Structure formats: C-alpha cells, structure tokens
C-alpha cells in the first residue's frame, strides 16, 4: 500500500526527482480494528505474535527433558545457556542467576521483534516504535534501581550522590553528574539505541526497495531503468543481510547493557 | 515544500553528519584496539569482544541521538 502511494507522488512527466510525501508516513500505524473501545494496530498484533513465538519456541524446544535433545532443542538450549552463562552469571557474578530469567525473556523477545524487520511479509520491526524500547528500558531501570536499594539499602543512593573516593570539593559535582547519568541518561540511551538502530534499518530498507520499485515500474520511456532498479534491489539485499546482523547484535547489546547496569548496582564501586 | 522546510531539512542533515563524526572516529579507534588486543592475546578474545561491543554501544549512542534529532527537526 505504501508503495502505491509513494510511486504515485512521482511526477514522471515533468520531473525525474521523486518527492516522498512525508517521512512520518513510515511512523504511522493506523488501527486495524477496534476492541472494547481500544484501537488495535499492526504493531500491537505483531507484539503479541512475537510473545507467542517466543513462548512457542521455548515450549517446543524444552518441553521434554531427555538426555539426548533434538537438534532444535539443542540450538535453543545453546541460546538460553549463552544468555545465562555469558551475560547473567558472566557479568553480574554468582548472584546473576536470579536475573537470568528476565534477561533471557527480553533477549528472546527483542530478538524476535527485531528479526521481524527482515521477515518477508511482515517487514516491520516492532522495536522501531518508541513505546516498546521505552517500556523495556523502564523495566530494566526499575530492576536495577530496585536491586541497588535491596543490596545496599539507602547507601546505594548515598554512594551515587556523595561518592566517598572523590576529593571533597568535587563531590557535589560528580554526584550530580553520576545521578543524572545513572537515573536519566541510562534508560534514555538504552531505549534510543534500540529504537534508532531499528528505525534506521527500516527506513533504509524502505528507501532502497521503494527506489528500486519506482525505477522498475515508474518510468515508461527510459530503457536502462530496469537495470537501475535491479541494482537498487541488489543493494537492498546486501542491506538486508546487514540488518539481520544488526537485529541480533542489538538484542544482544540491550541484554548485555541491562546486565551491566544490574551489576553496577549489585556490586558497589570498588 | 516551502523554502524554509527544505533549508531546515538540509541543516538537520548537516547536524546528523556532524553528530556522526565523533562516534565514527571513536568506533574506529575502539575496534582497532580490540583487534590489536585479540591478536596479542588470543585467549582473551571472548572478554575483549564483549567489552568491545559494550564500548561500541556506548559510543554509537551519540550518532543515534543525532539520527533521532534529524527526524525531530
């Protein structure tokens, strides 16, 4: 549908340059249907689909505990063990096992959500709507603040706004900087990192594919346009593969940073 | 599109370009040093890689904020 609109905007008779209507068009998700007075849009449906996929994959892979797991079971087990050993206990330390379920959940959910960007017929990463990364970042924020207060009591806040190992004249300044960077910048950058990476990929893929489409179908009088369009699609294919890597890496980085943040509040500064 | 809108878009683009310089240099230095560390001490490669990704994630944030501001402008 978007393709039709974008191709329509090109004035092929008068001007060779296409003007896409508005970049905001990529950020609008119209409601598909309404349920109990709440509009349900595509992003919400895909979010439920992602959650369902994660649950289904884990259930199918790990429902039977046998000595020799199936190939699929072994693969998923490897993924879960990676998060549990490398990220949870590897970074947080022995107490990390407690946070492993949360880290595994967000890792798999973000991974599935990100990979929707490169899934044919979906082509829409749910993490490219700010609501989802923001919510996940707030979840991580709540968990690491709570973990800090639980392990260090009020000393957690005291450590941050009145650091003992800094010269006394600078303590208030370092305290303010630390406070802002821990409680405000951390969740913001966590959310924006995931969001912006996925939006960039989504916009890039849309631009390349639409440009190819417009070249192939839009102009009638030129001969080489088909070749140009095909070249755009080749480039889009390369970016596609790149986006697969980005999707996996961003899910990993989000989980890794969550673990690092929890670690800094579980272990006081040495 | 009016003249002002086009100019605004162009300035926002320049702003994004400026925002990308620092992180570009930073990620280059970071990845280069990580490769050097891995080459010197291959047994520490796993640890270096994790730390490298962390560093890249922190460095990259500036460019990404610039990218978001480009859309906001």
């Amino acid at each position: 549908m978007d393709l039709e609109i974008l191709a329509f905007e090109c004035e092929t008779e008068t001007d060779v340059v296409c003007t896409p209507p508005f970049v905001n068009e990529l950020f609008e998700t119209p409601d598909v249907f309404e349920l109990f007075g709440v509009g349900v849009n595509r992003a919400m449906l895909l979010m439920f689909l992602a959650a369902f996929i994660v649950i289904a994959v884990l259930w199918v892979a790990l429902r039977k505990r046998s000595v020799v797991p199936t190939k699929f079971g072994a693969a998923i087990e490897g993924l879960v063990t990676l998060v549990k050993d490398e990220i949870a206990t590897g970074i947080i330390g022995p107490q990390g096992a407690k946070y492993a379920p949360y880290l595994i959940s967000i890792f798999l959910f973000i991974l599935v959500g990100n990979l929707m960007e490169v899934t044919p017929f979906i082509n829409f990463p749910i993490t490219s709507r700010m609501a989802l990364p923001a919510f996940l970042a707030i979840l991580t924020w709540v968990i690491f603040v709570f973990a800090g207060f639980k392990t260090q009591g009020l000393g957690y806040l005291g450590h941050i706004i009145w650091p003992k190992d800094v010269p006394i004249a600078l303590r208030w300044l370092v305290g303010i900087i630390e406070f802002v960077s821990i409680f405000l910048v951390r969740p913001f950058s966590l959310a924006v990192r995931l969001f912006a990476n996925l939006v960039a990929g989504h916009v890039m893929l849309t631009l390349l594919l639409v440009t190819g489409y417009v070249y192939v179908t839009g102009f009638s009088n030129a001969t080489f346009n088909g070749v140009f369009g095909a070249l755009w699609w080749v480039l889009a294919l390369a970016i596609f593969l790149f986006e697969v890597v980005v999707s996996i890496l961003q899910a990993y980085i989000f989980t890794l940073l969550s673990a690092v943040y929890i670690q800094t509040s579980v272990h006081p500064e040495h | 599109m009016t003249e002002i809108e086009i100019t605004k878009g162009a300035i926002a683009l320049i702003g994004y370009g400026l925002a990308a310089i620092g992180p570009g240099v930073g990620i280059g230095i970071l990845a280069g040093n990580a490769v050097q560390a891995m080459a010197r001490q291959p047994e520490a490669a796993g640890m270096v890689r994790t730390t490298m990704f962390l560093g890249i994630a922190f460095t990259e944030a500036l460019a990404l904020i610039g990218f978001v501001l480009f859309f906001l402008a």
Side-chain angles (χ1 to χ4, degrees):
Chain A
M1 200 175 72
D2 283 350
L3 291 182
E4 301 297 322
I5 294 167
L6 283 166
F8 211 67
E9 290 286 316
C10 289
E11 294 166 24
T12 43
E13 303 87 24
T14 54
D15 200 356
V16 190
V17 181
C18 292
T19 327
F22 211 43
V23 77
N24 284 2
E25 192 139 305
L26 289 171
F27 296 95
E28 280 164 9
T29 31
D31 291 351
V32 180
F33 59 88
E34 206 164 282
L35 198 68
F36 305 121
V38 179
V40 176
N41 58 28
R42 196 157 156 242
M44 284 169 74
L45 291 175
L46 288 176
M47 243 175 257
F48 278 109
L49 181 66
F52 176 74
I53 288 173
V54 170
I55 294 169
V57 162
L58 285 178
W59 190 74
V60 168
L62 309 172
R63 113 196 96 145
K64 276 181 293 196
R65 292 195 169 186
S66 54
V67 182
V68 185
T70 57
K71 271 181 191 162
F72 182 63
I76 298 300
E77 219 179 287
L79 208 62
V80 170
T81 327
L82 173 90
V83 178
K84 191 165 176 287
D85 290 349
E86 297 284 315
I87 298 180
T89 49
I91 286 182
I92 303 177
Q95 308 101 304
K98 208 166 46 178
Y99 302 101
Y102 170 67
L103 294 173
I104 291 166
S105 312
I106 55 166
F107 176 71
L108 290 177
F109 183 64
I110 295 175
L111 183 65
V112 171
N114 284 355
L115 284 176
M116 280 178 172
E117 185 190 11
V118 286
T119 312
F121 306 113
I122 295 179
N123 287 326
F124 175 75
I126 49 174
T127 36
S128 73
R129 289 293 172 276
M130 193 52 179
L132 189 59
F135 174 71
L136 292 171
I138 289 170
L139 215 56
T140 298
W141 186 84
V142 167
I143 286 177
F144 82 71
V145 169
F146 186 74
F149 277 118
K150 205 180 163 200
T151 48
Q152 301 175 47
L154 278 177
Y156 172 60
L157 203 60
H159 258 292
I160 290 166
I161 55 174
W162 198 247
K164 287 281 191 303
D165 46 355
V166 176
I168 188 128
L170 281 175
R171 264 183 209 172
W172 59 275
L173 184 64
V174 175
I176 290 172
I177 293 173
E178 280 286 288
F179 183 84
V180 169
S181 89
I182 286 178
F183 291 108
L184 301 177
V185 175
R186 267 184 186 183
F188 177 74
S189 69
L190 199 60
V192 164
R193 182 174 301 118
L194 184 62
F195 163 75
N197 264 297
L198 270 294
V199 166
H202 190 50
V203 170
M204 202 150 59
L205 282 180
T206 312
L207 281 179
L208 291 176
L209 291 171
V210 168
T211 311
Y213 180 84
V214 167
Y215 262 106
V216 170
T217 60
F219 311 109
S220 52
N221 51 354
T223 31
F224 288 114
N225 285 331
V227 180
F228 277 127
L231 281 178
W232 278 111
W233 278 336
V234 168
L235 189 59
L237 193 66
I239 298 291
F240 235 82
L241 299 177
F242 176 67
E243 285 306 318
V244 174
V245 178
V246 166
S247 299
I248 298 169
L249 202 62
Q250 286 308 317
Y252 177 69
I253 282 175
F254 194 96
T255 322
L256 194 71
L257 284 176
S258 297
V260 168
Y261 292 161
I262 292 171
Q263 191 264 344
T264 51
S265 50
V266 168
H267 298 275
E269 302 276 323
H270 304 291
Chain B
M1 251 202 257
T2 61
E3 201 91 326
I4 291 180
E5 274 174 358
I6 293 172
T7 318
K8 237 174 90 179
I11 292 175
L13 257 181
I14 292 171
Y16 168 65
L18 289 176
I21 293 175
V25 173
I27 290 176
I29 292 174
L30 213 154
N33 282 339
V35 168
Q36 207 172 37
M38 283 188 227
R40 282 173 187 229
Q41 221 167 352
E43 62 269 26
M47 210 182 68
V48 172
R49 195 174 299 123
T50 311
T51 321
M52 182 184 81
F53 280 136
L54 266 182
I56 287 179
F58 282 126
T59 318
E60 191 190 39
L62 291 171
L64 292 175
I65 289 170
F67 176 75
V68 172
L69 288 182
F70 163 63
F71 281 111
L72 287 182

